[in-house]
Amino acid sequence: MQFLVITLKRCGLGLGLLLAVLVLNFLLMHLAPGDVADSIAQDAGGLDAEVMAQIRKDYGLDLPLWEQMLKYFYSVAQLDLGYSFYYNQPVTTLILEKLPATLLLIISAQVVSILVGVVLGVIAARKPNGVTSHFVTILSLVGYAAPVFWTGIMLIILFASMIPLFPIGNMVDVSVERTGFAYMVDVLHHLVLPMLTLASIFIALYSRLARASMLDVLGSDYVRTAQAKGLSEFQVVFKHALRNALLPVVTTAGLVFSGIVSGAVLVETVFSWPGLGTLAVQAIVARDTPTILGILFFSSLVVVVANLLTDMLYRIIDPRIKTAETSEI
Amino acid sequence: MTDYSIRERSLQPTVARVEHPLIETARMFAGNRAALSGLAMLFIIVVVSLAGPWLYPTDPFEMVWSPFSPPGAKGFLLGTDYLGRDLLAQIIHGGRATLAVGCAAALLSVFIGITFGALSGFYRGWIEEILMRITEFFQVLPTLLFSMVLVALFGASLGMITFAIGIVSWTGVARITRAEFLKIRELEYVTAARSSGASNTNLIFRVILPNSLPPIVVQAALLIGFAILFEAGLSFLGLSDANVMSWGAIMGNNRPYILLHGFTIMYPGLAIFLTVLSISLIGDGLNDALNPKLRKR
């Protein structure tokens, strides 16, 4: 019951944050030089003042600011994020078309980096002076210092150009029509390099975190008790220690989601992955403000939802805080 | 007589002299080989970037040879870019803008972060509530997208780029500062200072802040690296000041040609990689030197 109450409370907070993103969006739209009338006039090669005024009236730009803001909230509540003049489509349609590709990239990168990172971290923690431990140290330095798009380009040159194992970009091979299973395999084949590129930053982060927290936990009393009871090494490490050592990883996984979305923008651009990031870059080149702000809103939505899920996961892993007010450490 | 001198000697304190914390930190840092090599590397990079234009006066914007000459051709050590401009000159001249934007953006975010963290950790109550909500808001905001929007809407000048990076990267500093303030404000010497009549401003700036600096300094060092990566990302997407050469801008310029002429991207990327690597080596070294408890890890 309390679990439900806290979850609802968190949802409320998330909604508040999204509302704040909308306010910010609205302000940006108004602070930005030029409005809809200006861009229509530019497309038409210049309009006279009367027509411009009419356009502003049609779009409700002559209303007081707070009224415009309420109208904006109302339309967003109906999933209407405006119209893109560049693509001649409603922004919501555009975004929903591209969202699955981005989600696939983000989620697979997150899952792979957590898995690989935790495994590396655990191995490193069991032998703090072993080869894996040094490897983790070097990996975390390199993973942090290399610009993610540069890593991507180097991977393309290595594994798509010099050794043609993977395609250089895009999400499907457009030259062949595929359906069903063959289509999925094709997408996965295209996913490998971008996913690894995006995961590279976070593998570094998680392996370092997992190593540190595992070292902490392995030195604690209850692990010694478990060892003294004669449990196998495997049981001690994976059933007793890991559960606690995972907590910092889960906390961080929630915190870095906005970073993953940022990384995805760059990775998508490098690999021409047809997701929100590529769309955002195109929209920025085309100065298509409604689309850019729509993407900003939708990606904030993704981060908020991801944070909610992480928070719930955290409560499931750590029963101690199942009923606590907040998971903030 | 002899007796007296012996007694004088015995008055000498028997415990070892306590080192000044800064000297201890410096000694710890100097014993860290990785951190020292990072410092040396960064020193070279900074010197070359600052003195580069005199050492290697070729104009990075001037077309000197045919486009995409491979490294070594015609005396151009790293070859030429898509317009036939000397890549080495671009990298040497571009370091200035990259480092300047990195430092300025890090400074801005440290400033915002300390303000938010100190106020919310010191005053608690509704101030903390509001400031922490704002911090949460910036944690949720997809940082790169937001900066892209800012730069795209308000113009790609160096100042705007710096602002766009600084305004999104301060949440870590705020969280760390707040945690330190929450911890230190309960300590006895703070209570002592308060009861001897120290004002709130005094407590914040002269009592608590100096004692919470170590983790903030480490975070600030790492932020410079982060800001450099961020600037490179923005420039790579084409959001760079067209009148200023920077490492990110070189990569952004040559982005369409990565498959045929990878070297035009590899070298500037390497420069960024080495810079951020040296900064994070220094950051790690500082962390170890400032937190003796962590040293055993």
Side-chain angles (χ1 to χ4, degrees), chain B residues 148-218:
Chain B
M148 282 163 66
V149 171
L150 282 182
V151 175
L153 290 183
F154 301 105
S157 62
L158 274 194
M160 196 63 224
I161 291 171
T162 306
F163 175 77
I165 298 172
I167 198 76
V168 296
S169 22
W170 52 271
T171 55
V173 178
R175 280 211 327 275
I176 290 173
T177 311
R178 173 172 164 268
E180 287 294 305
F181 265 67
L182 287 179
K183 198 170 69 193
I184 294 174
R185 75 196 289 272
E186 308 294 340
L187 296 182
E188 273 164 3
Y189 62 79
V190 178
T191 319
R194 197 193 299 270
S195 57
S196 62
S199 66
N200 281 345
T201 328
N202 255 333
L203 283 177
I204 292 178
F205 288 106
R206 310 195 58 166
V207 182
I208 307 184
L209 189 59
N211 286 295
S212 49
L213 274 183
I216 300 176
V217 168
V218 174

Side-chain angles (χ1 to χ4, degrees), chain B residues 291-297:
Chain B
N291 285 314
K293 266 174 271 167
L294 290 176
R295 223 172 280 145
K296 288 178 209 99
R297 288 254 164 91

Side-chain angles (χ1 to χ4, degrees), chain B residues 78-147:
Chain B
L78 297 183
T80 57
D81 79 342
Y82 77 115
L83 287 177
R85 304 179 292 192
D86 186 351
L87 205 60
L88 182 62
Q90 296 191 336
I91 290 177
I92 288 177
H93 291 243
R96 281 183 171 193
T98 302
L99 292 173
V101 169
C103 291
L107 210 64
L108 176 64
S109 54
V110 167
F111 178 75
I112 304 176
I114 286 185
T115 311
F116 269 64
L119 290 181
S120 60
F122 186 80
Y123 288 108
R124 318 249 14 214
W126 61 271
I127 295 183
E128 182 183 30
E129 194 65 28
I130 292 176
L131 293 182
M132 281 341 282
R133 287 292 160 269
I134 298 177
T135 312
E136 241 170 74
F137 171 70
F138 274 93
Q139 270 170 13
V140 165
L141 208 62
T143 46
L144 184 66
L145 274 173
F146 181 57
S147 303

Side-chain angles (χ1 to χ4, degrees), chain A residues 21-103:
Chain A
V21 174
L22 280 183
V23 174
L24 181 77
N25 263 356
F26 181 78
L27 291 177
L28 281 174
M29 223 168 352
H30 277 265
L31 288 173
D35 61 4
V36 183
D38 287 321
S39 56
I40 292 178
Q42 205 177 9
D43 280 350
L47 295 170
D48 49 278
E50 224 168 281
V51 184
M52 299 266 285
Q54 185 59 42
I55 292 173
R56 290 207 168 95
K57 205 171 172 189
D58 289 346
Y59 280 93
L61 295 176
D62 55 340
L63 297 170
L65 209 59
W66 62 270
E67 218 170 298
Q68 290 187 44
M69 187 145 91
L70 286 184
K71 269 179 76 177
Y72 176 64
F73 287 176
Y74 183 65
S75 53
V76 172
Q78 293 170 309
L79 280 180
D80 173 14
L81 287 167
Y83 192 82
S84 159
F85 292 96
Y86 180 70
Y87 291 98
N88 264 325
Q89 268 185 48
V91 171
T92 314
T93 319
L94 263 177
I95 289 178
L96 289 181
E97 215 170 82
K98 306 280 185 182
L99 190 62
T102 297
L103 285 182

